[in-house]
Amino acid sequence: VLSGCGVYDGTEIHEASAVLVHLSRGGAEVHMYAPDVPQMHVIDHSKGQPAEAESRNVLVESARIARGKIASLAKLTTADHDAVIFPGGFGAAKNLSTFAVDGKDCKVNREVERVLKDFHKAGKPIGLCCISPVLAAKVLSGAEVTVGHEEEEGGKWPYAGTAGAIKELGAKHCVKEAAFASVVFSLTPFYEAHVDTKNKVVTTPAFMCETALHHIFDGIGAMVKNVLKLTGK
């Protein structure tokens, strides 16, 4: 499920690409969706500032990432899918919800809320990364999620305050960080994914941390791998 195209007003493109690569490697058949609604606003990514005279549609912008193969989120059903994954980017907090403006008092797009509740009720896994775990925290009471660390630590975790908001939403925040895993004669760094086995919610910090791109790619891989494992297929 995408939220536009571009980190500051839509889907974080590197995260979406990482999700797609890992799903492809895992042999999954993928369908992409986005809500057919206006973006909260448009950001000029070269300046990091709002483009006051512009307006864009979330579905139309998401189609850039999907190479045109995308449908309205209203068409997404649990009957046709084994799992659902939400990449991050500010679009999750601006277009899929109002978290960027309202924090713990945010509202979630009604189709996003429907999808989360439907997959949860059906016992089908939900994957989220970066800021998107706030969606599960808001909609799924008592869910366990991670957005990384709970302190900024000198700028390494610039969005650490999100963990506090997640707790205020009634969810449990689980601290995750860079770790080392033994992989046949070498040590490969990766970002951990947290698996809430009860709710079948899998989350990973991704760009919530200031770190190398390949670490983020590997962390998203851990999330995707666990989502696919929870499908039982």
Side-chain angles (χ1 to χ4, degrees):
V1 176
L2 304 177
S3 61
C5 182
V7 58
Y8 297 125
D9 59 9
T11 301
E12 211 298 319
I13 298 170
H14 297 297
E15 291 181 11
S17 180
V19 169
L20 291 169
V21 169
H22 288 296
L23 284 171
S24 177
R25 185 170 286 150
E29 179 183 349
V30 178
H31 301 275
M32 284 178 268
Y33 299 87
D36 188 2
V37 296
Q39 291 185 185
M40 174 185 145
H41 60 187
V42 177
I43 297 294
D44 179 340
H45 281 61
S46 69
K47 299 177 181 177
Q49 299 175 351
E52 301 294 348
E54 289 192 48
S55 62
R56 298 185 185 182
N57 177 279
V58 175
L59 177 60
V60 173
E61 291 302 297
S62 297
R64 295 176 180 271
I65 297 174
R67 297 174 63 86
K69 296 180 180 179
I70 195 166
S72 170
L73 188 58
K75 296 182 179 180
L76 173 54
T77 66
T78 56
D80 297 327
H81 302 83
D82 298 307
V84 63
I85 293 179
F86 292 79
F90 279 92
K94 293 179 176 180
N95 304 327
L96 303 188
S97 72
T98 64
F99 182 79
V101 176
D102 300 323
K104 67 179 180 62
D105 298 317
C106 68
K107 295 180 180 179
V108 175
N109 171 279
R110 69 175 186 272
E111 289 297 338
V112 172
E113 183 173 1
R114 175 189 64 80
V115 167
L116 288 168
K117 287 182 175 179
D118 285 356
F119 274 80
H120 183 255
K121 183 178 180 180
K124 295 184 175 183
I126 299 166
L128 310 103
C129 62
C130 195
I131 192 68
S132 67
V134 300
L135 302 172
K138 176 68 176 182
V139 173
L140 306 178
S141 179
E144 297 179 1
V145 301
T146 188
V147 290
H149 277 208
E150 298 179 357
E151 302 293 337
E152 292 188 16
E153 299 178 19
K156 182 179 179 181
W157 297 90
Y159 310 109
T162 305
I166 282 172
K167 293 176 184 178
E168 290 182 308
L169 287 168
K172 179 180 179 181
H173 182 259
C174 303
V175 173
K176 294 292 176 179
E177 59 186 325
F180 287 90
S182 179
V183 182
V184 190
F185 307 120
S186 69
L187 290 175
T188 303
F190 69 98
Y191 270 84
E192 299 175 296
H194 179 72
V195 182
D196 176 352
T197 53
K198 178 182 178 181
N199 292 296
K200 291 191 176 181
V201 173
V202 187
T203 51
T204 195
F207 277 106
M208 297 298 278
C209 182
E210 291 290 335
T211 189
L213 180 59
H214 65 283
H215 292 174
I216 290 164
F217 182 88
D218 290 344
I220 290 173
M223 180 267 286
V224 171
K225 182 178 180 179
N226 279 287
V227 167
L228 293 178
K229 184 178 179 180
L230 285 173
T231 67
K233 296 188 176 182

